[in-house]
Amino acid sequence: MSEYCFFTPESQALAESSGLKERIESYAETNKKQVYVLNKPLSKEDSTYDYEGAFVVFAAGSKPCFIDTANNEYGFEDYIEDFFDDVSFLSEKFQYRKKIGRKKHWNDLFTQVTSDELDLESLKLTKPTEKRVADLIISLVIGSINDVSKINLEAESLLDMIKSKIVLFDTDQTSFVFKSGSNKKFVIQGLAGSGKTELLLHKLKEIYSSDQEARIAFTCYNKILSSSMKNRIPTFFDFMKVERQIDWDNKLFCFHSWGSGRIPYSGMYRYICYKYQIPFGTLSSGSFDSLCSKAINEIKNQSLTGDDQFIYDYVFIDESQDFGESFIELCELVTSKKVFVAGDVFQNIFRPIDETVSHADLVLKKCYRTDPSNLMISHALGMGLYEDPVLRWLKPNEWDACGYNYSEVDGKVRVSRDPLRRFEDIPDDYKSTFISVIDESKTIADSIFEVVENIKSKHESISAGDIAVLFLDKRNYIYDVIPVLARKVHEKLGWDVNISHDTKTSDNDKFFISNINNAKGLEFPFVICFAKDLNKNASFRNGLYTMMARSFLESHLILGSSTDTSLLTNLENGLSCLKENGYMELRIPSEEEIANQNDMIVWDEGPTIEERIREYCDSKDASPRLTAKLVHRVGDMMYDIEFEESYFNEIMVLEYKRNEQL
């Protein structure tokens, strides 16, 4: 089956019997275009049609096309009217009618043919407004609902067109939301920015809406993330017009993985211990992985049968790379129907690709946040692919897992990525990545501001919140530069500024400035990164890759004047090759170089959070009980966030005082 084509079982049978399936798939593959072949809207499951001899072909930017395979004129007309009624209902439900109008305004976009007359090339639309209306209709019927208040049907500038791009599920995403297989465990692996959490939310919505009796749990390792998700789920349900009220802690649970002894609903593992009446283990009792293994054995020894075996029908596990296998096995043991597991295939570019990717049911290889050419250069910068020796080299199967097309030609490697619909409006000659060195006669703030002014001059509709400046170095000089830059932006451009590491918030209406620790999960049209040099520190290179890939239009890397000129030349040549040919051409490292690549980088990860906490507790002669409590509490608070030493020390002082009296 084509990776660009989605068929329902009914539409596939009709397409096969009429000899159209291969033709549709060939068109999708040749044009690298998502095509959806449906017999009815996926997002309206209660629809029933009397006529079963027709289906509809939807392709992004093209006229939707009704196809009659049974040559029944009256039945076909009735089918079309039923389909239009469903689209009208969905348009009203999700407030699309405010943008696309009533049926009379868009039904002429549809065309109808017999199976002998289908010509997909002729269906392509040329007017941008009509393309957007057609894509909005596609998003309705496949359930990939957009916030239409952010869609400008008349957008003309490149920035406005990218901002107004309608989000459509790809084939894999659509299949997951509406199918997802027969096995009890469904594993998703994908790059950051590939939409894993969003997919889990859509699947959660589908199950919660359709199964009134289902008991569903959503869990992740981090307490902060789980708290964020508990707020996000109601917002998402409201946006998706879920009519059923959320029945928290009865039919729908959302908590982090561990929990605390006093509160049964405080965590997934804690709740499992409570429901099965087995001992709850704290950190002083062993690692989380060992405690989950112990819980598995204790539950199995109970020899439960029937409904007593399970406390959930469905479980969703996000950020699965944070867990050992025992927690996932424990969740599977206590779940009757399905466990959905989503993890990051490439969380750290210097760690091996997660082995579970080869066993995943769905591998999301596309990063929808970033233009593919910018993502390639961002990876190249992080992994040192244009350096000698390289800092990180992938095996062919690892290139594939990260969404790359890999080939060896004339002793060199060519890697490329397939185009994405989100960025199809970007002209072929548009430059999305810039690398420059500051002039020694200018200050850092002046050099950055000059880039800001240049961006602003090219994009008339730009606003303050479209640009982010990210300082990659973890050195104190940045805290002298940032106030100077903020004043300059405010005084010369009249823009308000959000210094994120001070406010700890995001604000879409303000110019964004941050150190590397406070931009996780965000995206901007334009990102400007600054570093004094391209050092070989592992966390610096990983941060360089992730921050450069925060943009969806342009990324600018500004470096200090001492940067190696030969490396800059190699990078510029790489950018030129990518722009001209659509691929990166790379030197193949020797086997010895690949074997020794870990020796080429500086591993500066330092002590773990737990080690830092224990060191502090040792300095205070804390009891083992207090130490275990602080390891659990502070470790949960600080997990998966980067922080300054002063911030960690402040947290430790406050939490130590608060807990030593308990």
Side-chain angles (χ1 to χ4, degrees):
M1 184 174 176
S2 165
E3 68 172 294
Y4 288 97
C5 262
F6 176 87
F7 292 86
T8 61
E10 296 85 355
S11 66
Q12 180 167 330
L14 288 173
E16 287 176 344
S17 64
S18 58
L20 293 177
K21 184 173 181 289
E22 288 186 6
R23 195 193 311 177
I24 294 170
E25 288 180 334
S26 175
Y27 170 83
E29 288 286 347
T30 302
N31 291 273
K32 305 293 183 187
K33 184 185 287 287
Q34 294 295 332
V35 177
Y36 313 85
V37 187
L38 313 177
N39 59 302
K40 65 179 183 178
L42 298 175
S43 49
K44 198 170 186 306
E45 294 182 346
D46 59 348
S47 293
T48 57
Y49 293 3
D50 294 329
Y51 187 58
E52 298 179 351
F55 61 90
V56 196
V57 177
F58 292 94
S62 297
K63 284 175 170 284
C65 183
F66 290 105
I67 300 175
D68 184 16
T69 66
N71 295 318
N72 183 327
E73 181 180 349
Y74 296 107
F76 190 39
E77 288 179 0
D78 188 53
Y79 173 85
I80 291 172
E81 283 305 311
D82 286 344
F83 204 100
F84 281 159
D85 286 345
D86 281 345
V87 174
S88 295
F89 171 84
L90 293 169
S91 176
E92 181 71 20
K93 178 179 180 179
F94 294 107
Q95 300 177 7
Y96 275 40
R97 201 173 78 180
K98 296 176 181 178
K99 289 286 181 180
I100 67 176
R102 294 184 181 275
K103 180 174 69 173
K104 63 184 178 182
H105 294 112
W106 47 257
N107 63 354
D108 285 347
L109 279 179
F110 286 75
T111 188
Q112 47 190 280
V113 298
T114 64
S115 54
D116 296 330
E117 299 169 331
L118 179 64
D119 178 10
L120 291 167
E121 287 290 346
S122 68
L123 301 179
K124 291 181 179 178
L125 293 164
T126 56
K127 295 180 180 179
T129 302
E130 289 185 341
K131 285 183 178 182
R132 294 186 186 112
V133 171
D135 288 351
L136 281 174
I137 292 171
I138 296 174
S139 74
L140 274 180
V141 298
I142 67 171
S144 184
I145 306 303
N146 285 246
D147 184 351
V148 290
S149 67
K150 297 178 180 178
I151 304 295
N152 178 6
L153 293 180
E154 308 300 328
E156 294 183 355
S157 71
L158 179 59
L159 176 57
D160 290 341
M161 285 192 291
I162 299 297
K163 283 183 176 181
S164 294
K165 203 69 179 177
I166 289 95
V167 177
L168 300 177
F169 289 145
D170 65 23
T171 305
D172 289 334
Q173 293 169 326
T174 309
S175 295
F176 170 72
V177 172
F178 294 102
K179 295 179 181 177
S180 75
S182 58
N183 294 333
K184 186 173 183 180
K185 183 170 69 174
F186 191 97
V187 178
I188 306 171
Q189 289 279 357
L191 291 173
S194 60
K196 298 182 296 296
T197 302
E198 192 75 11
L199 276 186
L200 292 183
L201 283 172
H202 276 277
K203 193 68 179 181
L204 173 63
K205 185 270 297 183
E206 286 296 315
I207 293 172
Y208 192 78
S209 299
S210 60
D211 190 341
Q212 300 290 315
E213 298 303 317
R215 298 157 298 172
I216 308 168
F218 190 107
T219 188
C220 51
Y221 189 90
N222 186 301
K223 184 184 289 185
I224 296 173
L225 179 57
S226 67
S227 177
S228 171
M229 290 304 301
K230 192 159 188 176
N231 292 325
R232 186 176 173 185
I233 288 171
T235 302
F236 180 77
F237 277 21
D238 286 344
F239 176 71
M240 294 298 294
K241 309 301 179 187
V242 175
E243 296 175 359
R244 181 185 171 194
Q245 187 171 353
I246 295 179
D247 187 0
W248 287 117
D249 299 332
N250 183 33
K251 294 300 183 183
L252 183 57
F253 303 78
C254 182
F255 34 40
H256 71 118
S257 55
W258 201 322
S260 57
R262 289 176 294 179
I263 308 172
Y265 291 84
S266 59
M268 184 74 161
Y269 164 68
R270 177 66 185 93
Y271 187 67
I272 290 171
C273 292
Y274 166 70
K275 293 296 286 185
Y276 288 93
Q277 298 183 348
I278 60 176
F280 170 72
T282 63
L283 192 63
S284 58
S285 309
S287 69
F288 186 55
D289 195 53
S290 65
L291 291 171
C292 289
S293 294
K294 185 178 179 182
I296 290 169
N297 292 329
E298 289 173 333
I299 293 171
K300 286 182 176 178
N301 288 336
Q302 293 182 1
S303 301
L304 300 170
T305 59
D307 292 340
D308 294 335
Q309 293 182 75
F310 309 110
I311 59 174
Y312 302 115
D313 297 298
Y314 300 92
V315 167
F316 293 80
I317 302 172
D318 202 7
E319 304 293 350
S320 64
Q321 72 276 358
D322 296 332
F323 297 109
E325 279 299 312
S326 62
F327 176 70
I328 297 172
E329 185 181 342
L330 176 62
C331 290
E332 196 173 355
L333 179 65
V334 303
T335 304
S336 65
K337 295 181 180 179
K338 199 89 169 179
V339 176
F340 299 97
V341 184
D344 192 338
V345 66
F346 206 32
Q347 187 182 37
N348 186 316
I349 58 175
F350 293 106
R351 298 299 184 199
I353 300 296
D354 193 330
E355 291 181 3
T356 59
V357 71
S358 60
H359 307 294
D361 299 281
L362 173 60
V363 180
L364 301 173
K365 300 178 182 180
K366 298 172 183 176
C367 174
Y368 293 95
R369 176 192 298 143
T370 308
D371 175 21
S373 63
N374 184 35
L375 182 63
M376 284 191 269
I377 290 297
S378 299
H379 273 142
L381 285 165
M383 295 191 286
L385 298 179
Y386 290 105
E387 299 173 42
D388 190 356
V390 297
L391 304 183
R392 174 77 161 100
W393 188 257
L394 303 180
K395 301 172 185 175
N397 65 305
E398 292 177 321
W399 286 110
D400 178 70
C402 292
Y404 280 92
N405 305 308
Y406 175 96
S407 63
E408 295 185 14
V409 180
D410 297 330
K412 291 194 174 184
V413 162
R414 291 178 181 175
V415 292
S416 63
R417 302 184 71 85
D418 288 342
L420 291 178
R421 205 188 128 269
R422 183 182 185 185
F423 306 104
E424 65 186 1
D425 295 317
I426 297 178
D428 291 339
D429 60 350
Y430 188 86
K431 191 173 182 181
S432 62
T433 309
F434 299 80
I435 301 173
S436 61
V437 174
I438 63 171
D439 187 328
E440 288 184 326
S441 65
K442 297 179 181 177
T443 66
I444 296 172
D446 284 340
S447 298
I448 294 172
F449 186 73
E450 192 174 272
V451 174
V452 173
E453 286 189 308
N454 185 42
I455 293 172
K456 187 174 183 297
S457 68
K458 293 190 299 182
H459 301 275
E460 292 182 3
S461 62
I462 199 169
S463 60
D466 289 334
I467 302 179
V469 175
L470 308 173
F471 288 86
L472 306 182
D473 294 327
K474 296 180 180 179
R475 306 181 204 173
N476 287 334
Y477 80 86
I478 70 173
Y479 302 106
D480 296 324
V481 175
I482 288 173
V484 177
L485 176 62
R487 282 196 301 273
K488 193 176 288 286
V489 167
H490 183 68
E491 292 171 0
K492 295 198 172 186
L493 301 180
W495 287 347
D496 290 332
V497 177
N498 175 27
I499 300 177
S500 176
H501 55 268
D502 286 341
T503 64
K504 302 295 181 183
T505 62
S506 58
D507 189 328
N508 295 334
D509 296 322
K510 294 181 178 180
F511 186 92
F512 187 92
I513 303 177
S514 179
N515 59 20
I516 199 171
N517 302 334
N518 292 276
K520 188 171 184 179
L522 301 177
E523 68 171 26
F524 305 86
F526 306 95
V527 165
I528 303 169
C529 295
F530 179 83
K532 284 197 170 180
D533 55 49
L534 287 174
N535 65 75
K536 295 184 178 181
N537 180 291
S539 64
F540 170 82
R541 289 299 182 115
N542 203 62
L544 171 61
Y545 143 61
T546 56
M547 294 303 106
M548 286 288 285
R550 292 277 166 222
S551 77
F552 57 80
L553 197 52
E554 287 180 15
S555 288
H556 296 254
L557 176 60
I558 305 174
L559 298 166
S561 57
S562 62
T563 305
D564 184 344
T565 55
S566 62
L567 172 55
L568 288 170
T569 300
N570 288 344
L571 289 170
E572 286 297 338
N573 290 339
L575 281 169
S576 297
C577 175
L578 180 58
K579 181 57 61 182
E580 292 172 11
N581 304 304
Y583 57 76
M584 293 193 299
E585 187 168 79
L586 305 171
R587 174 184 65 86
I588 301 178
S590 66
E591 291 184 9
E592 182 180 5
E593 185 179 341
I594 294 172
N596 296 330
Q597 59 187 337
N598 282 354
D599 299 331
M600 299 299 110
I601 58 177
V602 180
W603 296 96
D604 69 335
E605 295 177 353
T608 64
I609 293 290
E610 180 178 341
E611 290 168 343
R612 288 171 181 265
I613 297 168
R614 291 189 182 279
E615 183 180 351
Y616 181 91
C617 290
D618 287 345
S619 72
K620 297 288 188 180
D621 293 323
S623 67
R625 182 174 180 276
L626 177 57
T627 299
K629 183 182 292 187
L630 289 170
V631 165
H632 187 194
R633 177 166 176 77
V634 179
D636 226 7
M637 294 168 61
M638 307 293 285
Y639 174 79
D640 204 29
I641 64 170
E642 296 193 45
F643 51 84
E644 290 85 25
E645 193 69 28
S646 59
Y647 179 68
F648 172 78
N649 290 334
E650 289 173 8
I651 293 293
M652 282 305 306
V653 169
L654 291 171
E655 288 299 318
Y656 190 89
K657 286 181 178 179
R658 195 175 76 83
N659 285 277
E660 68 177 336
Q661 303 300 326
L662 299 178

